[in-house]
Amino acid sequence: EVQLVESGGGLVKPGGSLRLSCAASGFTFSSYSMNWVRQAPGKGLEWVSSISSSSSYIYYADSVKGRFTISRDNAKNSLYLQMNSLRAEDTAVYYCARGIVGATGADYWGQGTLVTVSS
Amino acid sequence: NFMLTQPHSVSESPGKTVTISCTRSSGSIASNYVQWYQQRPGSAPTTVIYEDNQRPSGVPDRFSGSIDSSSNSASLTISGLKTEDEADYYCQSYDSSPWVFGGGTKLTVL
């Protein structure tokens, strides 16, 4: 069974940093691209970042470029999102999602971790 | 870049059929696959359709997806509506800028 479990969310002050993790199990992690998608309170889904299976290709939304860094450790079956210079508008539930082979989208999602940026 | 436009809300009765549209603003809808995600209140999204019309294992065949080049839109059709289908539904596609989401459609089953 595919499982994606996010952790690392919490309350942080504007300008602060946070590192999110996503622990994957139930599939060959190193064979799949991985993604972060967020959802601000009461709002729709927003794509944040994607990383290919071998980390060769990395993409960011314009809203986080230069502040967030996606990475993965295939030996540990883990995905990460380093978030720096956080802003109030980064407040959201952050979801880890497995990429679809042959398409750009997700087939499995984690339960999410809440990040709140507030003073 | 392009946008995906969905109706804000739709409603239908149990047992009926509902179709949710997703219109691409520029570029061909057929150029890139469309995915559909269901998000029940208080829960994470789940994938109900990928690659325009493919159902992940475990998704009932009451859910189907299609694309229409003439209207440059994708559609999610749910037949035999159940109260458990009440949720927000998001379409998603891509081009050179990965992952574009529609604004979401709230489906009410009443």
Side-chain angles (χ1 to χ4, degrees):
Chain A
E1 179 195 5
V2 173
Q3 284 201 321
L4 299 169
V5 179
E6 302 92 336
S7 61
L11 175 63
V12 62
K13 289 181 168 54
S17 298
L18 214 52
R19 189 194 197 206
L20 305 184
S21 299
C22 172
S25 61
F27 65 101
T28 305
F29 182 73
S30 59
S31 295
Y32 289 84
S33 64
M34 296 296 296
N35 311 275
W36 289 100
V37 175
R38 69 184 181 183
Q39 186 172 36
K43 302 296 185 183
L45 300 175
E46 179 189 15
W47 169 75
V48 173
S49 183
S50 299
I51 185 168
S52 63
S53 58
S54 60
S55 305
S56 298
Y57 300 96
I58 288 175
Y59 305 95
Y60 298 100
D62 288 343
S63 57
V64 306
K65 201 172 293 183
R67 301 187 299 121
F68 289 12
T69 302
I70 191 172
S71 62
R72 63 190 295 162
D73 186 335
N74 287 344
K76 294 184 178 179
N77 291 341
S78 294
L79 174 72
Y80 307 102
L81 187 67
Q82 177 67 44
M83 303 186 296
N84 299 330
S85 303
L86 282 161
R87 306 166 180 167
E89 53 265 35
D90 295 318
T91 294
V93 175
Y94 285 73
Y95 296 103
C96 163
R98 191 180 83 168
I100 300 169
V101 175
T104 299
D107 56 5
Y108 286 94
W109 299 70
Q111 287 304 301
T113 187
L114 176 62
V115 173
T116 303
V117 184
S118 174
S119 54
Chain B
N1 228 358
F2 66 94
M3 295 193 307
L4 295 172
T5 300
Q6 300 180 234
H8 181 69
S9 63
V10 296
S11 62
E12 191 50 272
S13 303
K16 300 291 189 179
T17 297
V18 70
T19 297
I20 299 171
S21 62
C22 170
T23 302
R24 180 165 171 158
S25 62
S26 61
S28 172
I29 191 70
S31 297
N32 308 98
Y33 288 125
V34 175
Q35 282 62 241
W36 289 92
Y37 307 110
Q38 176 194 67
Q39 188 176 33
R40 293 188 175 112
S43 297
T46 62
T47 303
V48 292
I49 293 289
Y50 68 98
E51 293 180 357
D52 296 342
N53 55 19
Q54 301 300 303
R55 275 189 316 277
S57 59
V59 174
D61 60 7
R62 301 185 298 105
F63 290 80
S64 62
S66 63
I67 62 167
D68 180 357
S69 295
S70 65
S71 59
N72 213 35
S73 65
S75 294
L76 172 68
T77 298
I78 311 171
S79 60
L81 274 169
K82 301 184 177 184
T83 55
E84 68 203 46
D85 298 330
E86 189 161 289
D88 293 327
Y89 291 85
Y90 295 90
C91 61
Q92 174 263 318
S93 191
Y94 55 97
D95 64 357
S96 57
S97 177
W99 294 64
V100 176
F101 282 103
T105 298
K106 181 177 181 57
L107 170 62
T108 302
V109 182
L110 38 62

